[in-house]
Amino acid sequence: MNGNYTSTSAIAKRWKLSERRIQTYCSQGRIPGARKQSGVWIIPEDAVKPMRLSGGKKPAAKARPLHVLSLFSGCGGMDLGFEGGFRVPRESVNLSVNGRWNARGEDEHWVYLPKNRFHTVFANDIRPDARRAWTEYFAKYGILADTYHSQSIVDLVKLQKGNQHSIFPSEVDVVTGGFPCQDFSIAGKRKGFDSDKSHTGKAKKDDAPSIENRGQLYMWMREVIGITKPKMFIAENVKGLTNLRDVKEIIEKDFSSVCDGGYLVVPARVLLAADYGVPQSRERVIFYGFQKSALRPEALAALSAKTIDPAYDPYPIPTHCEGGDDGRRLKPFVTLRTAFHGLSEPALTEDVSQRKYSKAKYMGRHCQGQTEVNLDGIGPTIRSEHHGNIEYRRLSAQHGGKHSAELADGLEERRLTIRECARIQTFPDDYQFILPAANGERSVSASDAYKLIGNAVPPLLAYHIAKRLEENWEKYFG
């Protein structure tokens, strides 16, 4: 695009359509680069007229769903991003960069992200509360509860290899996994590969080195890759992993050795969630691996190069930056004020996830999580071990609170609610995190919900990852 814009009336005249039709195309996201300025749509001068939708012509054959096997699934942030079909704030989507997303405007604030080609056929986590939340939500996608397996990945692999059970699906296109991050996180004890926790999350009974400790569970993800032989895999962890000795390089080498060196692992990168429309300072390291024999020759050559051709680069293209950048067509970071749009105070809402928040007392600024959020900035990283360290939505004047207008209106000091944390992570409001026990399944408490949300990959970040792969799938695999 040349950077120059024109009016809807000028485009309507050029394309011989009504101005109303042009405005509809804009709201549907069918004109890449179109945006509102002072409430009026403006359109790039070199915009291309959208093709008519199925105007009596036979639609193209629907592509086969791509099967995803999800490990360490938690409450399904990565899975939701790969499935698609949820809504996010309009400001979180940059159609100047991702014009082919076909995001559908619901109103002035929200847009709906359409379903992707990916479909979850297996999920796994040892947390029963994660299974409860995941199965409750993903039932809307027609995914059965028995898709989610609660046994440890170590035990599942041993069962499969011992020919006792056929655990994993036979046709898998993608394996995803956010292997446990507590042992690599700056917020944790940083024991890394030498974790003092077992694969079940409990304290080890002895100090002997073991590949079954929590810090080495990525090796069991590697085993699943070897069993299922997907076309590709995606592994995710905290940024802190990259600062622990040569951990990142060891993990890359271990993943690339699966199936006798049958996978090409491209250099891992750290992604900042805020660069992709997530109102949060969260950073995650992402690993990609591709089955060499499944790649087209030109794709194998491109992905093997020291500098990957941008056309083949699997990493998603940033859509936002601090302050925005018109030259690069980047939007400003999405603020918490935008993310919290429409939320009532806990006492005034019917949403149980908005009513619930930590009542832990203020412990002083020297402790973690004792500051209030800046509504006109991005949010803090939502952590998984909150208890008394979940940030404040507002502090009292006595504790240094700066939301003076709210305090003057009598609004009380309180920490972020479950729903506010979920909004910061870009979970949709129809995802219910507080659940009663039912049909033999355990309940999910507010304390559980904080941990589940904090452990998750932001669904919108995962959607970026999935969309980039979906767009390049034929280029990679034919």
Side-chain angles (χ1 to χ4, degrees):
M1 296 180 187
N2 60 23
N4 297 320
Y5 288 79
T6 187
S7 65
T8 55
S9 59
I11 291 292
K13 185 176 181 180
R14 183 193 307 170
W15 292 349
K16 297 181 180 180
L17 295 172
S18 69
E19 188 171 355
R20 178 66 176 170
R21 174 62 61 86
I22 301 301
Q23 292 169 345
T24 299
Y25 281 169
C26 291
S27 64
Q28 291 175 338
R30 295 181 61 198
I31 304 179
R35 60 186 176 89
K36 277 193 172 181
Q37 187 176 76
S38 302
V40 177
W41 285 107
I42 57 174
I43 301 171
E45 282 190 343
D46 55 353
V48 177
K49 182 180 179 180
M51 293 181 65
R52 293 183 63 188
L53 296 178
S54 60
K57 296 183 179 180
K58 185 177 180 180
K62 190 173 182 180
R64 177 184 71 83
L66 299 172
H67 294 166
V68 178
L69 186 153
S70 168
L71 300 174
F72 314 110
S73 311
C75 66
M78 181 74 89
D79 306 329
L80 178 53
F82 269 73
E83 291 280 345
F86 61 99
R87 73 175 198 168
V88 295
R90 184 179 289 273
E91 289 305 310
S92 289
V93 177
N94 185 346
L95 294 178
S96 294
V97 177
N98 293 316
R100 290 184 292 180
W101 276 16
N102 293 321
R104 186 181 75 233
E106 293 193 338
D107 55 34
E108 286 297 308
H109 187 79
W110 298 100
V111 296
Y112 176 83
L113 301 179
K115 279 276 290 152
N116 289 325
R117 189 178 166 187
F118 299 98
H119 183 63
T120 309
V121 295
F122 183 100
N124 158 252
D125 203 287
I126 61 172
R127 291 188 63 117
D129 51 356
R131 172 187 159 85
R132 174 81 170 92
W134 193 101
T135 55
E136 182 80 14
Y137 184 77
F138 283 90
K140 67 178 284 186
Y141 291 93
I143 300 176
L144 301 178
D146 61 7
T147 301
Y148 200 105
H149 299 254
S150 297
Q151 300 98 314
S152 160
I153 186 175
V154 175
D155 294 334
L156 292 174
V157 168
K158 287 180 176 179
L159 283 171
Q160 175 95 16
K161 286 198 161 186
N163 294 320
Q164 299 177 47
H165 292 283
S166 180
I167 303 295
F168 303 107
S170 58
E171 293 185 8
V172 173
D173 296 293
V174 182
V175 168
T176 65
F179 52 93
C181 63
Q182 296 94 326
D183 300 298
F184 303 107
S185 172
I186 292 173
K189 297 179 181 178
R190 307 205 79 187
K191 290 181 177 288
F193 294 138
D194 302 319
S195 175
D196 56 7
K197 296 293 182 69
S198 74
H199 61 91
T200 63
K202 298 177 180 178
K204 288 166 56 180
K205 294 181 180 179
D206 56 57
D207 294 328
S210 172
I211 197 173
E212 295 183 12
N213 75 42
R214 188 176 63 183
Q216 296 205 42
L217 287 182
Y218 78 92
M219 289 294 286
W220 294 87
M221 177 178 176
R222 177 183 176 278
E223 290 289 326
V224 175
I225 294 166
I227 291 169
T228 59
K229 298 178 175 56
K231 287 186 173 66
M232 67 171 301
F233 66 84
I234 303 153
E236 172 268 339
N237 210 280
V238 293
K239 178 189 177 184
L241 175 150
T242 64
N243 300 324
L244 275 175
R245 299 191 298 272
D246 51 357
V247 167
K248 181 176 80 73
E249 289 73 20
I250 290 173
I251 292 175
E252 288 174 345
K253 183 177 179 181
D254 286 338
F255 274 136
S256 64
S257 67
V258 70
C259 296
D260 297 321
Y263 282 81
L264 169 65
V265 178
V266 300
R269 292 185 204 168
V270 173
L271 302 184
L272 172 63
D275 286 345
Y276 300 92
V278 179
Q280 185 182 180
S281 59
R282 194 180 199 88
E283 292 180 296
R284 284 296 184 270
V285 60
I286 306 294
F287 299 83
Y288 287 101
F290 296 85
Q291 187 185 120
K292 293 177 183 177
S293 61
L295 286 169
R296 300 175 70 174
E298 57 270 31
L300 178 60
L303 291 168
S304 301
K306 186 175 182 180
T307 301
I308 298 176
D309 183 334
Y312 286 88
D313 192 344
Y315 289 94
I317 301 169
T319 54
H320 295 68
C321 70
E322 186 172 8
D325 187 330
D326 289 340
R328 292 188 294 157
R329 297 184 293 157
L330 299 180
K331 283 187 170 185
F333 285 159
V334 177
T335 67
L336 292 187
R337 193 179 300 279
T338 295
F340 293 164
H341 173 82
L343 289 180
S344 302
E345 282 297 303
L348 303 175
T349 181
E350 296 297 318
D351 179 6
V352 66
S353 292
Q354 178 63 2
R355 291 204 303 264
K356 298 288 186 178
Y357 60 93
S358 170
K359 304 298 196 301
K361 293 182 179 179
Y362 179 73
M363 296 181 288
R365 289 185 175 272
H366 62 287
C367 296
Q368 189 180 53
Q370 308 309 301
T371 57
E372 69 180 8
V373 296
N374 174 14
L375 293 179
D376 295 313
I378 59 175
T381 296
I382 301 300
R383 299 178 299 275
S384 63
E385 299 295 338
H386 281 297
H387 305 293
N389 65 357
I390 173 69
E391 277 78 3
Y392 279 84
R393 168 60 179 80
R394 78 180 65 83
L395 285 167
S396 65
Q398 177 186 357
H399 293 150
K402 297 179 181 178
H403 300 310
S404 54
E406 293 181 344
L407 295 173
D409 286 341
L411 298 182
E412 64 181 359
E413 174 179 287
R414 67 167 176 83
R415 296 178 186 269
L416 291 169
T417 66
I418 298 300
R419 179 62 64 205
E420 286 163 345
C421 289
R423 287 271 190 103
I424 291 173
Q425 280 276 64
T426 64
F427 279 97
D429 286 354
D430 61 348
Y431 198 125
Q432 293 301 327
F433 291 95
I434 311 294
L435 297 167
N439 301 320
E441 297 277 2
R442 61 156 290 174
S443 63
V444 181
S445 68
S447 180
D448 294 331
Y450 276 133
K451 294 174 184 177
L452 293 177
I453 295 167
N455 266 328
V457 174
L460 178 56
L461 176 59
Y463 192 84
H464 275 271
I465 292 170
K467 254 330 194 196
R468 179 65 175 168
L469 295 177
E470 183 181 79
E471 291 170 356
N472 277 359
W473 195 265
E474 305 304 325
K475 190 181 299 181
Y476 292 148
F477 304 111

